[in-house]
Amino acid sequence: MDYLKAKSVKSLKGTIDISGAKNASLPLIAMTILAQNSVNIKNLPNVADIKTLLKLLTNLGACVSFEEQKVVVDTVPLHETKATYDIVKTMRASILVLGPILARFGHCEVSLPGGCAIGQRPIDLHLKALEQMGAEIEIKAGYIEARAPKGLQGANIIFDKITVTGTANIVMAAALARGKTTITNAAREPEVVQLCEVLQASGVKIDGVGTAVLTIEGSAGKLINIIDFSIIPDRIEAGTYLCAGAITKSEITLINVEPKHLGAVLSKLEEMGSSFTIEKNSITIHPSETIKPVKIVTQEYPAFPTDMQAQFLALATQADGVSIIEEKLFENRFMHVSELQRMGADITLNGHTATVNGKMQLSGTDVMATDLRASSALVLAALVSEGETNIHRIYHLDRGYDSLEKKLEGVGANIKRLKE
Ligand code: UD1
């Protein structure tokens, strides 16, 4: 198993090229199940979750080939309709194949994903919406068995809660359903927007893209001629490197980034004392003299993302004063706190709220990554810790960060990947 060994640095300097967004790639790869053609996808990040989903599609009969700078996915030969436990257990987002397979074949079996470190993460809203579209769903022996022998029918869906993968699943199912589907309380994340835009550009009529109410005209089962596309930049990866700049008080330039998607993150960094030069596809963070404490509440887009909570918590350990960070989306997303405490951070947890007393000098030690974004918080802390930090279980990190240690080394960090 790999681990990262990191030492503190005075400051970082240079340019980091941002990869394509993992969370945009996953639904867009699942969407190719609706295609009548093979689809070229550019700017896919080189991360484990993408490989997992491509492997799932290959197991179902699709052909996937890797060519220079692009991946070609041909789902025309796809014939299996069962997503088995061995793959689904490694990545909950495998649930994204449920909507498109059911819409195309009229039946689908997807293993229940099982427990998840950051909270319950149920999929009841996905299932209820598919039932409203005419699916019959049973849970049998750990599998979701869904059938829609007469095809799916457009419906009026009102999500009780905003769900990102739930919205994506229903948009994909609706694209092949009979008639019109309206989704109220839809997710507005840029990754959902890109899914809708690619479908629109491929001829699917979707109104309300980027708003909380989406209306999708289905094709009544006819497969779609899907265009080639390039994945949008990863706003969470970008946010993580901005935090690396802020915590080390450095100047770093991010390229191939979409500043428009980072509004809440940039605004919180500004409150903490950072300043930026922003151009169309680049952001330079300038060194700040001090780091100010902050109040953060995680919420759905366009508010502050839960996927940046752990990184800001690490940053807050270096702020001059008391920061309050409230997690509203996932009930158990503070597992990085105990590891940061082991490094010397002064953090008190009360339910969904963390109070961070800065500024504490952190000390390097052996720490364990507990989930994807928690891992990057430990890396950020390591950049300013005395001595050496060994971050174990970085398979979590590899699920969603493309070449993290190489990108950080490129701007002067002292960080290496080693074998246990
Ligand atoms: C997606 C992102 C993840 C991010 C999260 C919130 C992907 C692959 N993952 O996860 O990185 O942290 O959005 O921005 O895009 N819920 C239910 N029932 C459901 C579905 C969700 O109660 O059927 C609840 C969840 O428990 C959670 C909230 O709704 O409290 C939001 O979850 P959701 O948006 O579905 O998260 P994911 O799509 O799994």
Side-chain angles (χ1 to χ4, degrees), residues 84-158:
T84 52
Y85 179 66
D86 53 332
I87 292 219
V88 177
K89 71 168 189 230
T90 64
M91 191 184 65
R92 293 184 58 84
S94 309
I95 191 70
L96 283 165
V97 302
L98 177 63
I101 296 184
L102 181 63
R104 173 166 159 186
F105 294 98
H107 56 94
C108 181
E109 282 175 70
V110 179
S111 167
L112 283 170
C116 175
I118 66 169
Q120 268 198 339
R121 301 185 89 169
I123 46 159
D124 55 314
L125 301 174
H126 302 230
L127 302 186
K128 189 175 155 207
L130 288 171
E131 279 174 340
Q132 282 180 267
M133 297 176 77
E136 294 155 19
I137 295 180
E138 278 183 285
I139 309 290
K140 268 198 202 156
Y143 278 79
I144 302 156
E145 291 188 13
R147 269 177 303 275
K150 294 186 201 133
L152 292 172
Q153 172 71 49
N156 190 11
I157 313 286
I158 302 174

Side-chain angles (χ1 to χ4, degrees), residues 22-23 26-27 92-93 96 118 120-126 161-166 189 300 306-307 328-331 333 373:
K22 168 182 87 74
N23 285 354
L26 294 169
R92 293 184 58 84
L96 283 165
I118 66 169
Q120 268 198 339
R121 301 185 89 169
I123 46 159
D124 55 314
L125 301 174
H126 302 230
K161 239 183 181 181
I162 300 176
T163 161
V164 175
T165 47
E189 269 66 5
E300 295 87 359
T306 172
D307 285 353
K328 285 254 193 168
L329 290 184
F330 294 111
E331 71 273 19
R333 202 170 201 181
R373 306 302 170 186

Side-chain angles (χ1 to χ4, degrees), residues 100-278:
I101 296 184
L102 181 63
R104 173 166 159 186
F105 294 98
H107 56 94
C108 181
E109 282 175 70
V110 179
S111 167
L112 283 170
C116 175
I118 66 169
Q120 268 198 339
R121 301 185 89 169
I123 46 159
D124 55 314
L125 301 174
H126 302 230
L127 302 186
K128 189 175 155 207
L130 288 171
E131 279 174 340
Q132 282 180 267
M133 297 176 77
E136 294 155 19
I137 295 180
E138 278 183 285
I139 309 290
K140 268 198 202 156
Y143 278 79
I144 302 156
E145 291 188 13
R147 269 177 303 275
K150 294 186 201 133
L152 292 172
Q153 172 71 49
N156 190 11
I157 313 286
I158 302 174
F159 278 129
D160 290 344
K161 239 183 181 181
I162 300 176
T163 161
V164 175
T165 47
T167 303
N169 233 337
I170 301 310
V171 165
M172 292 186 280
L176 241 57
R178 264 176 292 118
K180 193 191 281 185
T181 299
T182 302
I183 306 175
T184 302
N185 212 17
R188 291 180 287 159
E189 269 66 5
E191 295 77 17
V192 174
V193 170
Q194 191 183 19
L195 172 70
C196 292
E197 286 175 348
V198 171
L199 282 167
Q200 276 180 321
S202 305
V204 181
K205 190 164 178 297
I206 307 182
D207 286 336
V209 174
T211 75
V213 182
L214 294 170
T215 306
I216 304 118
E217 293 279 354
S219 70
K222 189 174 179 303
L223 293 178
I224 302 163
N225 193 7
I226 290 181
I227 57 153
D228 296 340
F229 57 89
S230 181
I231 302 288
I232 56 170
D234 196 313
R235 63 195 167 100
I236 306 301
E237 188 198 23
T240 303
Y241 292 126
L242 289 174
C243 286
I247 202 168
T248 57
K249 300 180 176 163
S250 304
E251 178 154 310
I252 301 179
T253 297
L254 309 184
I255 55 168
N256 292 322
V257 66
E258 179 49 85
K260 281 202 300 264
H261 296 164
L262 280 152
V265 167
L266 291 170
S267 141
K268 285 294 160 192
L269 283 170
E270 252 169 11
E271 277 181 42
M272 296 180 87
S274 293
S275 58
F276 309 96
T277 302
I278 298 177

